Amino acid sequence: MSGIVHHLVRRGIEETNHRFQKGSEEGNSHPIPAWGAALLLATLVTYGVVMFAIRYTYGSVVAVLTMIETPTLTAFKINGPDSNDTDPLYPSDQKDDKDTSAAQEELLIVKTKPITAKIRTTMKHLRAQAGPWSRFRGLSVFVVYQLLYAMLFSFFSAVFQRIIIPQPVAAIVTSVALCRLDLMWTHNVISAPSARTLWQRIPKFESVKQIVVPAALYAVAEQVAVYLPRDLFRTFGLSAYWDPEHFGKVDQETQKHVLFQVLIVTAVGIITSFLILLPAEVTLTRVQASLLPEEEEAIVPFDRSFGGKVEPKIVGGTGAVSMLDAWKTFDYAARIRLVKLYVKIFAIETATTILFMGVGAAELGLILSKSKGSK
């Protein structure tokens, strides 16, 4: 989605510059006034803030809660025929009825609907439990993580470039180096409000041993999901047809061939995202959640035992769920729920982008009309 938005913005800027240059050559130039430039910049900044809020709240906070929530089970007691309603003609049967009354009672187990089944119910639950700013929980740790990631990635990229190591390796090493901070962010997101300070919630160093491998695998999956479609795009030479004007000049047969290649690249991107990246992300998140300290309570229903798969430290276990069990206990219904969430996020981002494109076009039209009228 971000690539599409980037292309649309770039094309809009290029088209605007082209029109102004054309007008300048014809002697009818209409420079954008300062107030117009400020208006467009404010709209662009607002769009960026709104998109960040959507991606962080829904794509990060709600997604993580969806990955770890365990729907609760509620038991309802169902009574059989009333044992007191005995036939007076057969008083000898009363004793037998009393003995069997307990057996006539049944328990109906009902799985409650998950809180994260809908974005609206999730946000309502978060506001009730953690206040109106709960949609940005963990934001301070997220900002620190992003700043450190940018610095470490730049450092490792410069070092690895000298010894001819590919750039994706630098991204993987950076992610693994910051896995403890990522663990801290996950715990801040999934835990209920606590009196403990942010620094008191820093995970113990011994917890890092349990997440190094899942973090490394997720980092590898992330690079595969990014670089495989990109390299395939370059291999096909599709960048030459990215300009609509150039694409319109080629013959129809070439256009069909290019569109087919675009479909292949898109399909590869979707497949790698859902079959490689998504399982790796879910596995890492659930392993991180299994390391939530005992004194901390999850903000959504969460089975710490993962169906009895976690062996507590007190009996000699690791206290963390294994990678395989982390994925296997994430049942089919939960996987569908997570995929639906990502589809909803994509729809929200698309609608937001179209809305701001319309606002930007209207503002540009107003600016041009005012600029033309002032001449």
Side-chain angles (χ1 to χ4, degrees):
M1 184 65 194
S2 59
I4 297 174
V5 173
H6 173 74
H7 172 68
L8 293 174
V9 172
R10 182 175 62 85
R11 287 297 303 163
I13 295 174
E14 291 177 353
E15 182 65 19
T16 302
N17 290 337
H18 174 71
R19 289 180 178 274
F20 277 108
Q21 290 175 0
K22 184 177 179 181
S24 179
E25 293 173 356
E26 296 174 355
N28 298 317
S29 61
H30 306 292
I32 297 180
W35 66 267
L39 179 62
L40 292 175
L41 180 60
T43 302
L44 185 61
V45 171
T46 303
Y47 170 74
V49 171
V50 171
M51 289 296 288
F52 172 79
I54 292 172
R55 291 180 181 179
Y56 185 81
T57 300
Y58 304 143
S60 296
V61 175
V62 177
V64 165
L65 296 178
T66 304
M67 292 176 192
I68 66 113
E69 183 183 10
T70 307
T72 56
L73 300 177
T74 304
F76 294 93
K77 190 175 182 180
I78 302 177
N79 294 324
D82 192 350
S83 60
N84 294 326
D85 295 340
T86 57
D87 194 333
L89 297 179
Y90 301 95
S92 61
D93 293 340
Q94 292 183 7
K95 183 178 180 181
D96 295 337
D97 288 341
K98 291 180 180 179
D99 293 339
T100 59
S101 61
Q104 292 172 345
E105 296 178 351
E106 297 181 355
L107 290 178
L108 177 63
I109 307 298
V110 178
K111 181 182 289 188
T112 58
K113 190 175 183 180
I115 295 173
T116 55
K118 294 182 179 180
I119 292 178
R120 182 171 57 183
T121 56
T122 307
M123 299 310 302
K124 184 178 179 181
H125 176 77
L126 286 176
R127 285 194 297 269
Q129 296 293 322
W133 292 101
S134 56
R135 64 173 55 237
F136 296 114
R137 55 193 355 244
L139 182 60
S140 57
V141 180
F142 174 83
V143 172
V144 173
Y145 179 91
Q146 294 300 324
L147 292 175
L148 290 178
Y149 186 95
M151 291 188 292
L152 287 179
F153 178 72
S154 299
F155 171 76
F156 287 128
S157 296
V159 173
F160 291 166
Q161 188 176 10
R162 295 179 177 227
I163 52 180
I164 319 177
I165 294 180
Q167 192 177 54
V169 177
I172 295 171
V173 173
T174 303
S175 296
V176 174
L178 295 175
C179 65
R180 187 183 182 187
L181 191 59
D182 186 49
L183 174 63
M184 181 181 177
W185 177 84
T186 300
H187 286 180
N188 282 339
V189 170
I190 69 174
S191 60
S194 171
R196 302 176 69 195
T197 63
L198 181 65
W199 300 112
Q200 289 176 332
R201 289 187 171 190
I202 297 178
K204 296 180 180 178
F205 185 76
E206 60 181 12
S207 300
V208 177
K209 296 185 295 184
Q210 308 297 331
I211 61 169
V212 168
V213 176
L217 290 179
Y218 171 70
V220 171
E222 192 175 29
Q223 296 307 306
V224 170
V226 171
Y227 281 93
L228 185 58
R230 192 199 70 170
D231 291 344
L232 194 60
F233 184 90
R234 291 179 176 179
T235 301
F236 287 155
L238 295 177
S239 56
Y241 303 97
W242 197 241
D243 188 350
E245 294 182 3
H246 176 67
F247 180 76
K249 294 178 181 179
V250 299
D251 57 271
Q252 190 173 5
E253 193 66 27
T254 302
Q255 289 181 352
K256 291 181 180 179
H257 183 66
V258 169
L259 290 176
F260 179 72
Q261 291 178 328
V262 170
L263 289 177
I264 292 177
V265 173
T266 304
V268 169
I270 294 174
I271 291 173
T272 53
S273 295
F274 283 96
L275 297 185
I276 298 178
L277 182 60
L278 186 61
E281 182 179 11
V282 170
T283 300
L284 173 61
T285 300
R286 290 174 68 80
V287 172
Q288 290 173 332
S290 70
L291 295 169
L292 184 69
E294 294 182 0
E295 60 270 19
E296 296 281 354
E297 292 293 335
I299 199 168
V300 295
F302 171 55
D303 179 17
R304 291 173 179 265
S305 69
F306 287 82
K309 302 293 184 180
V310 176
E311 190 174 0
K313 290 183 179 180
I314 195 172
V315 296
T318 62
V321 68
S322 67
M323 293 177 57
L324 183 60
D325 289 333
W327 175 248
K328 288 173 63 177
T329 54
F330 190 63
D331 60 19
Y332 179 78
R335 297 175 191 180
I336 295 300
R337 191 164 69 247
L338 182 60
V339 171
K340 285 183 178 179
L341 172 64
Y342 285 131
V343 172
K344 293 176 183 177
I345 294 172
F346 178 79
I348 294 173
E349 288 184 348
T350 302
T352 303
T353 300
I354 293 174
L355 173 63
F356 272 89
M357 287 179 64
V359 171
E363 290 176 347
L364 186 60
L366 175 65
I367 293 169
L368 292 176
S369 63
K370 292 291 185 180
S371 177
K372 185 176 180 180
S374 64
K375 291 291 182 178

